[in-house]
Amino acid sequence: MDITIPPHNLKRFTAAITCLGKIGKDLYLSFDPLDGLVLSSLNEAKSAFGKFHFDSTFFDRCSAPAVVVSASRSSASASSFLGRGRNTNGGGSNNNNNHNSEE
């Protein structure tokens, strides 16, 4: 998957990840280039669940490789996912404007 989050949506995206990180230690991703990105988390006791759906219009760019036939799913640690953002504006600040990830 290849997504670009515009700066004005970055705060909402990271807030969603932070919220899900408080629910459970794993972050589940489901991506479809037409439907967008779904982030979810389930706590260890399976008594709490959180889910955020980001429509494809939320992103500046939202695509998947042509070889992907169905929606892709994966999971990661919420804390490690927040650290994967990449600033492509040339600055060294921690304010990440873009997140690019490939499966």
Side-chain angles (χ1 to χ4, degrees):
M1 109 180 135
D2 184 17
I3 60 173
T4 302
I5 303 169
H8 62 274
N9 284 340
L10 187 61
K11 187 174 183 177
R12 292 190 311 181
F13 188 77
T14 56
I17 294 172
T18 301
C19 177
L20 292 172
K22 292 179 181 182
I23 292 172
K25 64 180 181 176
D26 292 324
L27 179 67
Y28 299 93
L29 305 135
S30 177
F31 175 77
D32 182 297
L34 299 176
D35 193 34
L37 178 68
V38 176
L39 304 175
S40 60
S41 185
L42 178 68
N43 71 346
E44 288 186 35
K46 297 184 180 179
S47 61
F49 175 78
K51 179 179 178 180
F52 290 90
H53 176 250
F54 297 96
D55 192 65
S56 59
T57 59
F58 179 83
F59 304 101
D60 278 345
R61 183 176 67 228
C62 182
S63 63
V67 294
V68 176
V69 176
S70 63
S72 59
R73 292 176 172 231
S74 60
S75 66
S77 161
S79 59
S80 68
F81 189 80
L82 279 172
R84 292 193 60 181
R86 181 176 73 177
N87 185 350
T88 59
N89 290 336
S93 71
N94 290 333
N95 295 331
N96 298 327
N97 291 328
N98 293 319
H99 174 71
N100 295 318
S101 176
E102 293 182 0
E103 279 194 353

